[in-house]
Amino acid sequence: MLPANLVNLFVRKGLDTRTRQLIDRIRSSEPSRRVGSGRGNTPGIYPSKKMGVTIQFESHTVELAAIYEKEHDESVYEYYDQPPAFSIRYQDQGKNHGRTYTPDFFVISEDFIGWEEWKKEEDLIKLSVEKPYLYRRSEDGTWYMPPAEAYAEQYGLSFRVRSSKDINWVYLSNIRFLEDYLLSLKPRNWI
């Protein structure tokens, strides 16, 4: 059963039945994969009080920072790690390609409903050279992923690429220090 706050949000956003069914499938799915360690990352799990489950992350710096941000942002209703994969299509050197892609998170918030990919700024710079068909940077420094955005748009949802440059490290440090205290102030089902 969909909580009343999400029903109201989806009505305000004008989400159609097909989009609501997709979101329902994401909400009821287990993470599509287990994160693993690889070059330069240290995976882990975060015990989310907001979500009532553990949330996986592949990076103690970037993805864990994203989790802290979502956990303590009252405009974020729910967030899911490793949501179901979807197909993206793109052109590389004049040829059509496609592949299955799993983003880091699916987020339901007051001002954003959609998928997120989190990367280190230096990795995005490198990827934009190696795979310009996947990762691009706008003139204002914002990163985007056109094939994933095209997938999201067909449902009236969003996709965004977030960078380590977007993280407010002072805020993150304060949240980590004060987390137990802050969580003790909120009622158990505070969303």
Side-chain angles (χ1 to χ4, degrees), residues 34-165:
R34 291 283 159 214
V35 298
S37 58
R39 179 188 61 84
N41 71 343
T42 307
I45 55 172
Y46 175 83
S48 170
K49 290 198 177 186
K50 180 179 276 191
M51 296 302 296
V53 297
T54 56
I55 304 291
Q56 304 177 93
F57 58 87
E58 288 182 306
S59 160
H60 271 81
T61 52
V62 180
E63 287 181 20
L64 182 56
I67 290 169
Y68 276 111
E69 178 184 283
K70 290 165 197 11
E71 190 74 15
H72 297 283
D73 181 345
E74 292 191 14
S75 74
V76 174
Y77 295 109
E78 297 178 352
Y79 63 102
Y80 299 88
D81 64 294
Q82 307 301 311
F86 54 84
S87 295
I88 58 172
R89 306 207 183 302
Y90 53 90
Q91 278 198 335
D92 179 26
Q93 299 178 350
K95 294 182 181 174
N96 292 327
H97 296 275
R99 70 178 179 101
T100 302
Y101 166 71
T102 305
D104 294 322
F105 300 102
F106 185 82
V107 180
I108 302 171
S109 71
E110 261 315 304
D111 59 352
F112 178 87
I113 302 174
W115 295 267
E116 286 184 343
E117 180 69 31
W118 283 77
K119 299 245 183 252
K120 291 180 183 176
E121 181 74 13
E122 57 269 21
D123 291 345
L124 284 167
I125 292 169
K126 184 178 174 185
L127 284 166
S128 70
V129 172
E130 293 172 357
K131 300 177 181 182
Y133 48 88
L134 287 183
Y135 296 97
R136 296 188 187 157
R137 184 188 218 164
S138 65
E139 288 185 19
D140 70 358
T142 303
W143 289 98
Y144 59 104
M145 188 179 182
E149 289 177 14
Y151 175 82
E153 285 171 7
Q154 68 183 327
Y155 291 98
L157 299 174
S158 300
F159 182 94
R160 63 185 172 193
V161 177
R162 304 284 308 274
S163 161
S164 56
K165 190 174 147 188

Side-chain angles (χ1 to χ4, degrees), residues 157-176:
L157 299 174
S158 300
F159 182 94
R160 63 185 172 193
V161 177
R162 304 284 308 274
S163 161
S164 56
K165 190 174 147 188
D166 298 331
I167 299 168
N168 179 335
W169 296 103
V170 173
Y171 172 79
L172 179 62
S173 177
N174 289 338
I175 286 294
R176 284 181 169 168

Side-chain angles (χ1 to χ4, degrees), residues 17-35:
T17 302
R18 185 177 82 128
T19 301
R20 289 182 189 199
Q21 288 171 343
L22 173 68
I23 293 171
D24 208 30
R25 187 168 42 92
I26 293 168
R27 293 180 73 243
S28 62
S29 296
E30 292 292 319
S32 62
R33 69 181 187 90
R34 291 283 159 214
V35 298

